[in-house]
């Protein structure tokens, strides 16, 4: 829509000129997110990913003659929350339009979308480097069904997804690198998840990204853009942008008139790491947009807005700030632990129960998240763990009290994750209770000192650290159950008592 070249950012955000041979990347993102409603946008059908094909349909979403759409209030509420969470302006008056095209997964022959009067304008996300990615608009629309082509000569159509509510958010072409695109998407996903608007689960198709890419010379007007589709992970989004930038730059640098960058849609082949032409780019007039006559315009009043604002809760940026200022976490830890609402809730509960946010943060990051892959880390995986926040808090408490030493606590946590049993029970079962009983420890310490004249002399000369060499043998004698701090204290005392 708006294609005025924006200023290229401050010196801090200016791209490295050598990386793209002096060309400046211009990138805009279009993101479709499925709203987390119980039912579809214009009918009462439920939607569940993976349901038996064509079982979640009715006369409206299969376009039977005479069937009429009715707007789902919950969808509008979630769309408005998404807009508010992104700092955008909610239009008091907007309307639906028909976007006409023919395809087998679109039984009406048109998609109900919003054309010139979207419900939401402006807003944006500021990246860590201070660069703001502005949103042009967000509009509400229905999804199409799914055409399944991989069944030999047949194409099958599943209309379960037809008319599921989507919001499409479109950025200004403010993005200046593949890394910025990735960061923008991470932030967008976080915000929409916290707002409760969408699961943003790419694997289930509830978040889909299209990218527009071009390059230009500093001070020159923007050039033709290429739209990239088929991007099924954020990693693929940045890889596709990287390849497309290189392809366009190579064409412009070749000065070969038989090679041109044309305005088109290209598909990214992640395996081959290349983009391939799919079709020429349609223009708005190809769709013969016109106002949807079967739906009333959307009017949003102050009360509805206030209701949605109140439902928003704490957004990730505010949460990150509070985790640092109130709970004393580092910026990095706060970033990791707010990366999904489920994870931040899990952490906060554990921190509250064990009374030590720092310990909770360390144990979650070092022992729990490390065992999960990057894809598993968000939302679902943490809820499916066999350890609860209370369970980890109990374990942290046992480590604090000195019942367990650190390696022992790690072992117990692994067993908790595997079996779902509680910490105290496992300490008993595994015989890991730390030995702090000085009688037993003193005996092992005396044995460890035998013949260690060099260490004894060093410690007596003031090099207390030398005692560390004897802690290991005592730990071994105790089968790892000794409290290393108590062992160190006893050893030092014994050395001092020696003549
Ligand atoms: P369409 O409806 O055809 O997809 P839009 O005007 O909605 O077109 O723009 C799609 C995206 O392309 C937006 O994110 C926009 O910022 C971006 N864009 C526009 N011009 C360029 C360009 N020259 N290079 C890269 N991206 C661009
Ligand atoms: Mg578009
Ligand atoms: Zn239906």
């Amino acid at each position: 829509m708006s294609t005025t070249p924006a200023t290229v950012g401050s010196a801090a955000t200016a791209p490295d000129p050598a990386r793209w041979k002096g060309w400046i990347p211009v990138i805009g993102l279009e993101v479709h997110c499925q709203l987390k409603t119980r039912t579809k946008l214009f009918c009462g059908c439920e939607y569940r990913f993976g349901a038996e094909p064509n079982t979640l349909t009715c006369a409206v979403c299969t376009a039977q003659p005479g069937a009429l759409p009715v707007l789902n209030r919950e969808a509008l509420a979630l769309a408005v929350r998404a807009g508010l969470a992104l700092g955008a302006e909610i239009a008091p008056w907007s309307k639906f339009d028909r976007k006409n095209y023919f395809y087998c997964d679109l039984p009406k022959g048109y998609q109900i979308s919003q054309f010139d009067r979207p419900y939401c304008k402006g807003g944006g996300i500021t990246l860590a480097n201070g660069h703001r990615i502005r949103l042009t608009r967000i509009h509400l629309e229905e999804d199409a069904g799914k055409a399944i082509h991989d069944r030999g000569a047949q194409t099958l159509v599943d209309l379960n997804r037809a008319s599921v509510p989507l919001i499409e958010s479109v950025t200004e072409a403010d993005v200046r690198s593949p890394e910025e695109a990735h960061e923008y998407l991470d932030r967008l996903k976080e915000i929409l998840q916290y707002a409760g608007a969408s699961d943003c689960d790419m694997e289930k198709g509830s978040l889909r990204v299209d990218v527009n890419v071009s390059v230009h010379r500093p001070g020159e007007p923007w050039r033709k853009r290429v739209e990239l589709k088929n991007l099924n992970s954020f990693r693929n989004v940045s890889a596709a942008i990287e390849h497309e930038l290189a392809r366009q730059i190579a064409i412009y640098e070749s000065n070969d008139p038989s090679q041109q960058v044309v305005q088109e849609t290209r598909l990214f082949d992640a395996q081959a790491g290349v983009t391939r032409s799919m079709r020429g780019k349609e223009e708005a007039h190809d769709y013969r947009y016109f106002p949807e006559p079967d739906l009333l315009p959307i009017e949003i009043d102050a009360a509805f807005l206030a209701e949605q604002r109140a439902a928003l809760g704490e957004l990730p940026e505010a949460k990150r700030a509070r985790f640092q200022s109130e709970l004393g976490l580092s910026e990095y830890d706060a970033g990791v632990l707010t990366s999904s609402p489920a994870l931040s809730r899990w952490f906060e509960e554990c921190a509250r129960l064990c009374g030590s946010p720092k310990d909770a943060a360390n144990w979650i990051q070092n022992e729990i998240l490390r065992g999960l892959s990057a894809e598993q880390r968000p939302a679902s995986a943490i809820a499916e763990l066999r350890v609860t926040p209370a369970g980890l808090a109990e374990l942290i408490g046992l480590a604090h009290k000195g019942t367990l030493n650190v390696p022992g606590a790690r072992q117990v946590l692994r067993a908790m994750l595997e079996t779902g049993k509680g910490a105290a029970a496992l300490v008993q079962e595994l015989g890991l209770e730390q030995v702090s009983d000085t009688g037993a420890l003193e005996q092992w310490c005396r044995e460890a000192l035998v013949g260690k004249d060099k260490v004894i002399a060093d410690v007596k000369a003031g090099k207390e650290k030398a005692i560390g060499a004897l802690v290991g043998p005592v730990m071994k004698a105790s089968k790892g159950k000794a409290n290393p701090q108590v062992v160190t204290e006893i050893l030092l005392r014994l050395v001092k008592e020696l003549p």
Side-chain angles (χ1 to χ4, degrees):
M1 300 226 145
S2 71
T3 44
T4 26
T7 44
V8 178
S10 66
T13 65
D16 169 12
R19 182 169 173 194
W20 290 293
K21 304 179 174 172
W23 294 87
I24 298 171
V26 178
I27 302 158
L29 301 173
E30 295 170 84
V31 181
H32 286 87
C33 290
Q34 191 181 303
L35 295 172
K36 237 167 74 174
T37 54
R38 197 175 59 79
T39 56
K40 296 185 180 182
L41 186 52
F42 300 120
C43 63
C45 292
E46 290 189 32
Y47 177 70
R48 287 186 308 278
F49 179 81
E52 192 66 19
N54 298 308
T55 55
L56 306 175
T57 58
C58 71
V60 177
C61 55
T62 58
Q64 303 305 306
L68 290 172
V70 177
L71 178 60
N72 177 345
R73 190 178 195 273
E74 189 194 4
L76 184 63
L78 295 186
V80 166
R81 276 179 223 172
L84 292 173
L86 288 160
E89 216 177 285
I90 307 298
W93 190 96
S94 64
K95 67 173 171 73
F96 286 107
D97 299 277
R98 289 188 181 179
K99 179 177 179 178
N100 299 281
Y101 65 97
F102 173 79
Y103 199 61
C104 60
D105 63 9
L106 189 72
K108 292 198 294 289
Y110 58 85
Q111 176 193 23
I112 303 180
S113 180
Q114 296 192 291
F115 180 50
D116 54 343
R117 297 294 294 266
Y119 83 94
C120 186
K121 276 189 178 171
I125 293 176
T126 303
L127 305 180
N129 64 8
H131 187 194
R132 184 156 176 85
I133 310 302
R134 294 166 298 164
L135 277 164
T136 313
R137 59 184 275 159
I138 309 177
H139 65 256
L140 190 53
E141 64 184 25
E142 60 177 341
D143 208 344
K146 215 185 251 168
I148 300 153
H149 298 292
D150 57 1
R151 305 292 158 91
Q154 290 176 316
T155 287
L156 304 177
V157 177
D158 175 9
L159 294 179
N160 282 352
R161 208 181 61 184
S163 210
V164 160
L166 302 176
I167 46 171
E168 177 175 353
S169 56
V170 182
T171 72
E172 294 292 308
D174 286 342
V175 179
R176 288 292 170 272
S177 69
E179 294 77 18
E180 283 197 355
H182 198 307
E183 189 187 339
Y184 169 83
L185 292 169
D186 282 336
R187 294 285 90 78
L188 177 71
K189 176 174 168 175
E190 244 173 45
I191 292 169
L192 295 178
Q193 285 181 338
Y194 273 87
S198 175
D199 287 331
C200 295
D201 185 343
M202 273 189 125
E203 273 171 30
K204 294 182 180 160
S206 70
L207 185 149
R208 286 165 249 161
V209 184
D210 300 338
V211 185
N212 288 270
V213 179
S214 68
V215 294
H216 74 124
R217 289 286 195 191
E220 288 181 5
W222 286 1
R223 300 197 177 200
K224 287 204 176 101
R225 69 184 149 111
V226 165
E227 184 175 35
L228 303 176
K229 285 188 181 282
N230 207 22
L231 305 166
N232 53 17
S233 70
F234 292 174
R235 185 138 41 105
N236 275 351
V237 169
S238 45
I241 294 172
E242 193 82 59
H243 283 101
E244 182 56 25
L245 289 170
R247 190 188 71 89
Q248 292 183 18
I249 291 166
I251 291 174
Y252 291 136
E253 297 255 312
S254 75
N255 288 321
D256 172 356
S258 75
Q259 287 194 53
Q260 297 284 333
V261 174
V262 293
Q263 185 142 336
E264 62 177 349
T265 299
R266 297 178 73 87
L267 293 182
F268 182 59
D269 178 338
Q271 226 117 59
V274 294
T275 59
R276 295 203 175 88
S277 181
M278 177 170 96
R279 56 162 191 249
K281 175 79 185 139
E282 313 81 356
E283 301 286 343
H285 60 248
D286 295 326
Y287 292 118
R288 294 188 302 114
Y289 278 101
F290 64 86
E292 168 59 63
D294 290 339
L295 285 163
L296 289 166
I298 305 171
E299 287 185 34
I300 293 175
D301 60 20
F304 187 78
L305 262 189
E307 195 185 312
Q308 304 323 318
R309 209 182 288 278
L312 266 185
E314 191 177 34
L315 293 172
E317 216 178 299
K319 208 179 268 293
R320 270 193 287 278
R322 185 170 61 77
F323 280 8
Q324 290 172 67
S325 65
E326 246 174 50
L327 305 183
L329 299 195
S330 69
E331 190 184 344
Y332 177 83
D333 289 357
V336 173
L337 294 169
T338 52
S339 60
S340 82
L343 180 57
S344 72
R345 271 196 304 275
W346 208 100
F347 159 73
E348 273 201 276
E349 192 180 346
C350 181
R352 184 175 59 76
L353 292 170
C354 80
S356 169
K358 192 72 207 158
D359 282 323
N362 287 340
W363 279 94
I364 291 172
Q365 289 184 87
N366 297 336
E367 306 302 328
I368 292 186
L369 295 183
R370 188 173 287 170
L372 303 173
S373 70
E375 285 72 34
Q376 284 179 313
R377 280 179 173 216
S380 49
I382 193 100
E384 285 160 15
L385 286 177
R386 305 194 68 178
V387 174
T388 59
L392 180 59
E394 182 192 355
L395 180 73
I396 293 172
L398 291 175
H400 267 184
K401 273 199 310 202
T403 309
L404 275 171
N405 59 23
V406 171
R410 281 205 190 104
Q411 197 182 330
V412 171
L413 181 56
R414 276 195 298 276
M416 290 167 76
L417 288 164
E418 267 165 37
T419 65
K421 292 185 191 166
L426 282 164
V427 171
Q428 291 289 320
E429 200 177 308
L430 300 170
L432 283 170
E433 192 151 349
Q434 182 164 257
V435 181
S436 301
D437 156 26
T438 33
L441 292 178
E442 213 170 298
Q443 186 53 34
W444 286 320
C445 289
R446 283 185 198 288
E447 282 161 19
L449 282 166
V450 174
K452 292 295 185 302
D453 298 343
K454 170 90 171 78
V455 177
I456 292 167
D458 283 348
V459 173
K460 280 199 174 291
K463 285 196 269 175
E464 288 207 346
K465 275 202 176 132
I467 208 70
L470 301 183
V471 176
V474 177
M475 293 302 295
K476 205 164 162 193
S478 76
K479 300 202 172 62
K481 292 192 278 182
N483 179 333
Q485 231 166 321
V486 179
V487 170
T488 308
E489 283 160 22
I490 296 174
L491 284 167
L492 287 172
R493 176 167 56 74
L494 291 177
V495 170
K496 280 175 194 150
E497 282 168 13
L498 286 173

